[in-house]
Amino acid sequence: MVERVVVREVAALSGRALPLLRSWQAEQPECGVARALLVLQTSGGMSDEALKVELVAAFEAAQAAGAREASVVYGIFLYTHRQYPLAAEHLLAHFAQWPGDEAAALMLGAFSACTGPGYRQRGDALVEEQYALAGPESWPWAGWMAWTRVEQGRTEDAHQLAEHTLGLYPRSGVAAHARAHAEHEQGAGTAAIAFLDGWLAGDPQEPCSSGT
């Protein structure tokens, strides 16, 4: 499935994610999720008005595809408009209906972006729940779990999860960053930086025809 391939490249922080998103959107202009995910990756250079125009069109297209697709796009609308508490609440409801949704997980940063009490803890609990549901063989969720442990200051757990993730998929950028952060906190210093530099140097930049 094209969505799964592209979403996993985005989840991996891959250099070929954006070219793949552009290609997917060009080949399937009627796909609301493709259009919205491209906006999610490029929203930093867009005005609020341009965001609204693109995402309203994406939402209309997604509604024709189904409730799950419309929910993903609506979440992207809230996230890119910096409505982080609303986005976080929406994600909780979304995952209750569509557990393990990797496209929706690309907005997990909404929880840490909230200033209100309890949001970070609710986000952590959500990641733990979704990782348990997805299972240890899901490298995207394993990577997000590793990063959650980094943010919690649980460096040993973070390092173990990062190593597990990289064993499943060596190009997981989230896991690579989690490992580097954990090793830095453990006193690895230059070795942690060298590892991350090596990972970045090997980052693929060209679109691929198939995914993991």
Side-chain angles (χ1 to χ4, degrees):
M1 185 179 180
V2 175
E3 179 182 326
R4 183 173 185 268
V5 171
V6 179
V7 165
R8 287 195 159 197
E9 288 295 322
V10 178
L13 308 181
S14 168
R16 59 192 177 198
L18 189 55
L20 281 173
L21 272 170
R22 294 189 191 281
S23 176
W24 180 24
Q25 202 275 325
E27 292 172 6
Q28 299 183 32
E30 76 288 351
C31 180
V33 171
R35 187 169 188 168
L37 287 174
L38 181 57
V39 169
L40 178 64
Q41 293 300 110
T42 59
S43 60
M46 299 175 69
S47 67
D48 285 349
E49 184 58 32
L51 280 173
K52 182 178 179 181
V53 169
E54 282 296 307
L55 290 173
V56 166
F59 183 71
E60 291 174 353
Q63 282 183 306
R68 176 256 168 192
E69 289 78 3
S71 181
V72 168
V73 174
Y74 183 62
I76 292 173
F77 181 92
L78 294 172
Y79 186 85
T80 56
H81 282 81
R82 299 173 294 282
Q83 299 295 316
Y84 298 122
L86 291 176
E89 296 292 346
H90 179 74
L91 286 173
L92 290 168
H94 181 93
F95 281 112
Q97 192 163 0
W98 295 284
D101 192 330
E102 293 172 5
L106 300 176
M107 294 170 277
L108 287 170
F111 290 94
S112 59
C114 291
T115 57
Y119 276 104
R120 183 180 293 275
Q121 291 78 8
R122 293 168 76 190
D124 291 353
L126 177 65
V127 174
E128 290 178 4
E129 176 188 56
Q130 298 302 308
Y131 176 52
L133 291 170
E137 297 307 305
S138 171
W139 67 260
W141 280 107
W144 289 317
M145 189 72 256
W147 187 253
T148 297
R149 293 296 186 236
V150 166
E151 293 187 323
Q152 292 172 333
R154 297 170 58 175
T155 55
E156 289 187 10
D157 290 343
H159 192 273
Q160 183 178 30
L161 279 162
E163 286 286 86
H164 168 70
T165 307
L166 292 167
L168 295 171
Y169 189 65
R171 296 309 311 163
S172 170
V174 174
H177 282 76
R179 174 182 154 174
H181 274 270
E183 290 182 346
H184 179 74
E185 291 298 319
Q186 293 170 337
T190 56
I193 297 172
F195 162 74
L196 192 55
D197 285 346
W199 185 92
L200 289 168
D203 184 31
Q205 299 294 320
E206 296 300 323
C208 60
S209 59
S210 60
T212 56

